[in-house]
Amino acid sequence: MDKKFALKELNKFRKTGDISDYHFSFNKKESGYSVKKVDKDIEISAHTNADLMRAYNYALGLIKEQKNRTVTYCSNFKEVIAMIDLARNAVLSVKTLKSEICRLAGLGYTEIWLYLEDEFEIPSEPYFGMSRGRYSQKQLHDLAVYSDKLGVNLVPAIQTLGHLKNILKWQHFNDQLADTDNNLYPGKKKVEDFVFKELKAATAPFLTNKIHIGMDEAYSIGLGKYYFDHKDQPIDQEKLLKTHAQMVFNLCKKLHLKPLMWSDMWFEIGSPTNMMYDPNADLSQFHLDREIGQIYWDYYSTDKNHYLPVMKKHFELTDNVYFAAGIWTWGRLAPNQTKMQASIKAGLEAAKNIGIKKIVATAWRDDGAETPFAASYLGWQVFSEYQYFNEPTEENFKVDFKILQSEDYRSYLLLDDFDNFRDAPNEKDMVPSKLLLYEDLIQPRFYQNFKKVELQNYYRELAENLSDIIPSENSALIFDYYIQLAMVLSEKIILLNELSSGKNNQVELEPYKTNLQKLSKIRRKIWFRENKGSGSEIMDIRFGGMIERINTVKYLIEQEQYCMEIPELEMDRHINDSFGNARYFEIVSPSEISW
């Protein structure tokens, strides 16, 4: 860690201004950090580099707020880790990623995992990550050096078995490496050679020998090409998984790497009922190297007792146990803040009870990264609070979000209202805002589902509430986007109701089209402020499709051919809740997007 550089970079990030007339003094602390600010004198004590970064940040926040205060905290965990998903179309630009690394360092995160899949360069494999916004070796090294100066360990997170559809869709790889469209072919020499290249290229730019090798959710291992090549013998998935995993472990050892992996497949195969994270799974059969980190990922329950037996079971695999929670940014337009808070609280309280000392906050971006990265800031804050508070309160979140990120807690909490109409957590993760935005104007699949709540006034009032916010300089564009989104959703339900009632000649299509185009422009501006260009075409296709659909409705009305086709039944909800949850392709049409 370069302490002078770190303070200077944090100050630049926080836009505090000239701090040269402030006097800083430093001491060591046995645990956590303390800050005492009295006018121009600031005393800081910290145990680790991460504690020091949070203390720096806290001091800068007090300077910015022009407040005197004394605070002291002890830490609860050894490692507090952020995982950033960079493989779901949106690839943060190097500039943005540096900014977010600085933000996370200032919250006290010790380590950041970059979830890459194919978003890194393998020099000998030009198809790997081609046209997907991959980082070059030089870019990743630059990021690793930058992180190191801030006292944060930057770690590559890749996949070495499943979740490789974006690689295997290339015929170049599929013919040689694929078992299924998602999984590598177990036991094949070419696969071993490929994984070796992966491991070597993924770790070369970094300053650590730590690597996350993935290997989660490979349910169909051995059931694709492997099955047809071995039809004369029973498929033993347990054996295939163990053999493949051992191959990867051996390669890591050859390269002097320290691997971590998701733990779910051990439980899945060890379970008598093939249940995900079955607390009754037989794990004794696997005989794993106990130095290999096993990561229990579970983002879903708000009950502490759900986590306890599974956490305890992990110590049968290793003492190097991690727990990963989620900040609920995936598959949606706005973050599920109440689910984020409730699930993190339950999971981290359980981790403390069991004695797990390494915790991970994951920010997945499934289905095209529709939630802007800046909308995740409250999630990172809430998770980090559990490092320094035994039982953080809403008041802690509110105060620290302002001091450490210059953001308003209540404003970010309002984003939960896009999908949550209750005074309780959105536990089942319904996404009415996404269903409504993409709902077709001719054959609205989810129209029957919307009748449970009066949405027109609801979203108009949400737009008004969001308009009352005074955002920070950094978040102004994000709230412009969400204000416009709420207005579009309110207009969309009016339009659907009018079209369904046969008032075709009275329908005002152009104002809705204008507001949708305005929303698209703001979304585009956010995308290119945060991300590389790759992946933006998907969101352009989605918004462009909605805009062109308005033109089709207008044409049909003019030709007196318009007729809305409303399903008699509620559409599949996928979850046990009022509205449902669905991905883009499941919403826009019952037909194939591509076939």
Side-chain angles (χ1 to χ4, degrees):
M1 180 182 185
D2 183 333
K3 293 178 182 178
K4 288 185 179 179
F5 175 85
L7 179 57
K8 183 179 178 181
E9 196 69 9
L10 258 180
N11 187 43
K12 183 174 71 174
F13 168 72
R14 294 298 306 276
K15 300 178 182 176
T16 318
D18 184 13
I19 59 171
S20 60
D21 56 343
Y22 284 85
H23 177 258
F24 288 81
S25 60
F26 301 93
N27 294 292
K28 285 293 290 183
K29 195 172 184 292
E30 288 188 7
S31 175
Y33 73 95
S34 64
V35 176
K36 181 180 179 181
K37 178 182 176 295
V38 179
D39 300 328
K40 300 284 185 176
D41 292 318
I42 298 173
E43 295 178 20
I44 288 176
S45 296
H47 179 59
T48 67
N49 288 337
D51 297 325
L52 178 59
M53 285 298 289
R54 179 144 170 149
Y56 273 156
N57 198 18
Y58 203 100
L60 292 172
L62 292 177
I63 293 171
K64 196 165 188 176
E65 295 291 314
Q66 298 182 328
K67 292 180 178 179
N68 289 330
R69 187 176 297 168
T70 299
V71 295
T72 185
Y73 303 101
C74 293
S75 54
N76 291 306
F77 300 97
K78 183 180 178 182
E79 294 181 22
V80 181
I81 301 161
M83 171 176 264
I84 300 175
D85 182 359
L86 301 161
R88 300 299 194 282
N89 293 349
V91 182
L92 296 179
S93 69
V94 171
K95 179 182 177 181
T96 299
L97 189 46
K98 282 185 176 180
S99 175
E100 302 310 337
I101 289 169
C102 189
R103 178 186 299 275
L104 293 167
L107 295 179
Y109 283 85
T110 63
E111 194 162 275
I112 297 173
W113 296 349
L114 302 184
Y115 182 76
L116 297 168
E117 286 189 7
D118 62 334
E119 299 294 357
F120 63 98
E121 177 191 12
I122 300 179
S124 61
E125 295 287 358
Y127 279 99
F128 188 87
M130 188 172 72
S131 303
R132 287 255 297 146
R134 67 188 173 204
Y135 296 104
S136 68
Q137 294 275 308
K138 183 178 179 180
Q139 286 176 324
L140 289 173
H141 183 66
D142 181 33
L143 289 165
V145 170
Y146 177 81
S147 299
D148 186 64
K149 286 183 176 181
L150 298 180
V152 178
N153 191 29
L154 198 65
V155 176
I158 65 171
Q159 290 289 353
T160 57
L161 175 57
H163 284 294
L164 290 172
K165 64 180 180 180
N166 282 313
I167 298 165
L168 299 177
K169 66 187 177 188
W170 296 106
Q171 187 175 344
H172 170 76
F173 290 120
N174 188 282
D175 290 347
Q176 301 180 56
L177 306 176
D179 176 16
T180 67
D181 62 357
N182 199 51
N183 292 349
L184 295 176
Y185 193 116
K188 187 179 275 191
K189 182 62 169 64
K190 286 184 179 179
V191 167
E192 182 176 353
D193 294 342
F194 170 75
V195 172
F196 182 76
K197 287 182 184 178
E198 259 196 306
L199 293 169
K200 192 173 181 180
T203 54
F206 291 84
L207 306 182
T208 178
N209 62 352
K210 194 172 182 179
I211 183 170
H212 192 318
I213 58 174
M215 304 226 315
D216 58 310
E217 298 183 309
Y219 307 123
S220 57
I221 183 172
L223 300 180
K225 293 177 184 176
Y226 184 95
Y227 171 80
F228 290 101
D229 290 343
H230 298 82
K231 284 195 294 186
D232 58 335
Q233 54 189 273
I235 301 300
D236 186 341
Q237 287 190 302
E238 176 189 325
K239 183 178 179 181
L240 290 176
L241 177 66
K242 288 164 66 176
T243 302
H244 183 87
Q246 190 58 54
M247 178 271 289
V248 179
F249 300 157
N250 291 341
L251 292 177
C252 287
K253 192 171 184 179
K254 183 177 180 180
L255 291 167
H256 307 290
L257 303 177
K258 293 182 178 179
L260 315 167
M261 66 179 292
W262 304 116
S263 61
D264 55 290
M265 290 305 295
W266 304 123
F267 281 80
E268 184 91 10
I269 291 178
S271 168
T273 58
N274 297 109
M275 182 179 122
M276 169 76 80
Y277 284 128
D278 184 349
N280 298 312
D282 176 15
L283 304 179
S284 62
Q285 59 186 298
F286 296 119
H287 305 293
L288 299 177
D289 182 342
R290 295 186 67 84
E291 290 187 7
I292 295 170
Q294 298 292 334
I295 306 150
Y296 168 34
W297 62 270
D298 194 338
Y299 323 127
Y300 304 101
S301 181
T302 58
D303 179 6
K304 180 175 74 173
N305 293 321
H306 162 84
Y307 298 99
L308 292 171
V310 185
M311 287 179 174
K312 195 176 294 184
K313 190 78 176 174
H314 272 74
F315 286 92
E316 295 179 18
L317 292 171
T318 180
D319 294 324
N320 192 14
V321 178
Y322 294 69
F323 172 69
I327 61 174
W328 283 92
T329 50
W330 57 89
R332 53 197 313 106
L333 305 176
N336 186 343
Q337 307 285 43
T338 50
K339 174 81 170 183
M340 174 271 290
Q341 289 182 321
S343 59
I344 286 175
K345 175 181 171 65
L348 295 191
E349 285 182 354
K352 287 178 187 177
N353 285 0
I354 293 297
I356 291 175
K357 289 296 184 181
K358 301 174 183 179
I359 57 170
V360 188
T362 61
W364 299 108
R365 310 193 75 187
D366 302 37
D367 202 19
E370 293 164 317
T371 298
F373 190 85
S376 71
Y377 293 163
L378 180 59
W380 299 119
Q381 184 71 51
V382 168
F383 190 86
S384 73
E385 298 293 279
Y386 285 85
Q387 168 71 319
Y388 297 105
F389 295 90
N390 287 327
E391 295 182 8
T393 65
E394 193 168 50
E395 184 63 20
N396 298 138
F397 301 148
K398 178 182 177 182
V399 171
D400 283 355
F401 198 36
K402 186 68 173 176
I403 290 291
L404 295 166
Q405 297 196 58
S406 301
E407 299 292 355
D408 179 63
Y409 172 76
R410 297 291 177 189
S411 301
Y412 271 77
L413 203 59
L414 263 180
L415 301 183
D416 192 73
D417 290 357
F418 276 94
D419 295 314
N420 191 7
F421 311 125
R422 305 169 183 148
D423 293 325
N426 182 4
E427 188 160 354
K428 300 295 182 182
D429 194 36
M430 59 182 182
V431 289
S433 64
K434 181 169 179 171
L435 301 177
L436 179 55
L437 178 67
Y438 292 132
E439 182 76 296
D440 189 64
L441 293 174
I442 299 174
Q443 42 187 16
R445 303 189 71 201
F446 287 85
Y447 189 69
Q448 299 288 7
N449 302 46
F450 296 140
K451 293 184 177 180
K452 295 179 173 64
V453 176
E454 201 289 300
L455 294 176
Q456 173 187 336
N457 292 331
Y458 177 84
Y459 281 118
R460 186 175 67 244
E461 289 173 9
L462 178 56
E464 292 170 358
N465 291 337
L466 288 165
S467 298
D468 291 338
I469 288 169
I470 302 176
S472 71
E473 179 184 344
N474 191 59
S475 60
L477 187 62
I478 292 298
F479 283 98
D480 285 347
Y481 171 74
Y482 280 116
I483 291 166
Q484 188 65 21
L485 174 60
M487 291 171 58
V488 164
L489 293 173
S490 179
E491 292 180 353
K492 179 71 173 282
I493 198 67
I494 294 172
L495 192 57
L496 285 168
N497 289 339
E498 289 180 346
L499 288 170
S500 69
S501 63
K503 300 177 182 178
N504 300 344
N505 294 326
Q506 303 171 33
V507 168
E508 295 289 337
L509 288 168
E510 288 304 315
Y512 174 68
K513 181 179 177 181
T514 299
N515 275 318
L516 187 60
Q517 288 172 323
K518 183 179 178 181
L519 180 66
S520 181
K521 288 178 181 178
I522 301 172
R523 175 207 58 78
R524 182 186 303 123
K525 191 172 182 179
I526 290 172
W527 184 284
F528 285 97
R529 187 174 77 170
E530 293 186 341
N531 306 307
K532 296 184 177 186
S534 301
S536 64
E537 72 278 8
I538 302 302
M539 294 305 297
D540 283 349
I541 288 166
R542 293 181 185 184
F543 274 81
M546 289 189 287
I547 292 165
E548 186 60 26
R549 199 63 167 158
I550 295 169
N551 294 334
T552 298
V553 170
K554 185 178 180 181
Y555 168 79
L556 291 174
I557 290 174
E558 290 171 350
Q559 299 298 313
E560 298 184 352
Q561 293 179 353
Y562 180 85
C563 180
M564 182 179 279
E565 303 171 17
I566 304 175
E568 294 180 7
L569 304 174
E570 285 192 11
M571 194 48 56
D572 295 338
R573 290 177 291 178
H574 302 291
I575 56 172
N576 184 23
D577 212 323
S578 303
F579 292 91
N581 185 306
R583 290 165 291 177
Y584 168 78
F585 76 88
E586 295 167 315
I587 302 170
V588 292
S589 175
S591 300
E592 293 284 353
I593 298 296
S594 178
W595 184 251

